[in-house]
Amino acid sequence: MDTAAADRPSATYDRIGIGYSDIRRPDPRLHALIGQALQGARTVVNVGAGTGSYEPEGADVTAVDPSQVMLDQHPGATKVKSGAEALPFEDASFDAAMAIMTVHHWPDLHRGLGELRRVARRQVVFTWDPAHRPELWLLEEYLPEIRDLEHDRFTLLTEVADALGAHTVLPFAIPHDFTDGFQIAYWRRPECYLDPVIRQASSTFAQLPPSVVEPAIARLRADLDSGAWHRRHADLLGRQSMDYGYRLLIAGE
């Protein structure tokens, strides 16, 4: 079913959404963590659902997204075009609401989180804390413009947790072979950032002009060719995972 369009434009994901699922493949370790948080929920609303990553098996899932391009790639039967701030559902319609790497896109975070609490008895939110250190080397060394974008759109984890009423905050360290190709995934695979297809699946890269991205990627390519990147980051090469500030928040019943 479809409802009225979202409050905010969905232009970014309408643009990057084609082929999105080829790069953004759910990681089984994150899927397991989210699945544990949703355990026992028979009805789930996935807000900012995209292509349906991390939805629990066996549950009756309603996918909500403001982008028709993304909804068209979602495999589910029940899909609603809507923004998070005005969900078209009755109070307590679902056992659980999930929102995975999406709250930073919402134009009114508090209103959206309030809607999650209104329509579901349990809320599960996966997001990133902009106050966390260390940051990904890409931001410091090549594209500080991404840092500016990220800090503008991500809200401090403490504020998100307070607004959600979260009783549990679980850290998720990013594995070196993380399969979900959002920006942080390639912290130990720097050559992947050279691929324009991979970059196109990241909303931050997609919002920056080529005049900013291309010179930065050229510098990265040169550092990889010369071995300078590997010398600077030799400490990363033996690590299996890195905590870059990604957290799973759980609230409600």
Side-chain angles (χ1 to χ4, degrees), residues 30-43:
L30 181 54
H31 197 176
L33 184 68
I34 294 169
Q36 290 170 7
L38 291 168
Q39 191 169 16
R42 293 170 299 173
T43 57

Side-chain angles (χ1 to χ4, degrees), residues 101-105 109 126-131 146-157 159-160 182-183 203-204 245-246:
M101 286 302 290
T102 181
V103 299
H104 56 289
H105 291 301
L109 173 74
F126 185 65
T127 188
W128 173 71
D129 184 6
I146 286 182
R147 178 195 289 127
D148 294 341
L149 276 176
E150 298 286 56
H151 283 250
D152 280 346
R153 64 185 188 160
F154 276 92
T155 302
L156 292 173
L157 186 77
E159 184 176 339
V160 179
F182 60 87
Q183 181 180 280
S203 62
T204 44
Y246 288 83

